[in-house]
Amino acid sequence: MLSTILPLVTIMVGIALLLNTVRLFIGPTTCDRILALDTLYINSIALIVLLGLYFESVMYFESALLIAMLGFVSTAALAKYLLRGDIIE
């Protein structure tokens, strides 16, 4: 069952990554682009977790955790920069 679902979900996450990339490049405002970048991080984490399930390796889950932390910090920094004009006060 899992071997039939994993390729289907991987294709769906790949399509979501493609749509996020399009929004990142043609987003009308900067906030849309930051939101697209944040969603791109989340979808890449999902793709890495799916690869970890497919190859049955723990190493993929650790890299997904690292990307999640970097994505959160970068999104928070970009949002703070947009609101206040600088990151460190």
Side-chain angles (χ1 to χ4, degrees), residues 27-46:
T29 64
T30 307
C31 293
D32 290 335
R33 290 182 175 163
I34 289 175
L35 187 61
L37 184 66
D38 191 44
T39 309
L40 196 67
Y41 278 119
I42 292 170
N43 286 333
S44 65
I45 291 167

Side-chain angles (χ1 to χ4, degrees), residues 69-83:
M69 289 188 317
L70 290 174
F72 174 74
V73 170
S74 66
T75 302
L78 282 172
K80 188 173 180 181
Y81 179 75
L82 282 179
L83 288 175

Side-chain angles (χ1 to χ4, degrees), residues 47-65:
L47 189 64
I48 290 172
V49 168
L50 286 171
L51 285 175
L53 287 174
Y54 184 75
F55 292 119
E56 297 177 357
S57 174
V58 180
M59 189 175 71
Y60 290 98
F61 299 119
E62 293 173 356
S63 63
L65 180 65

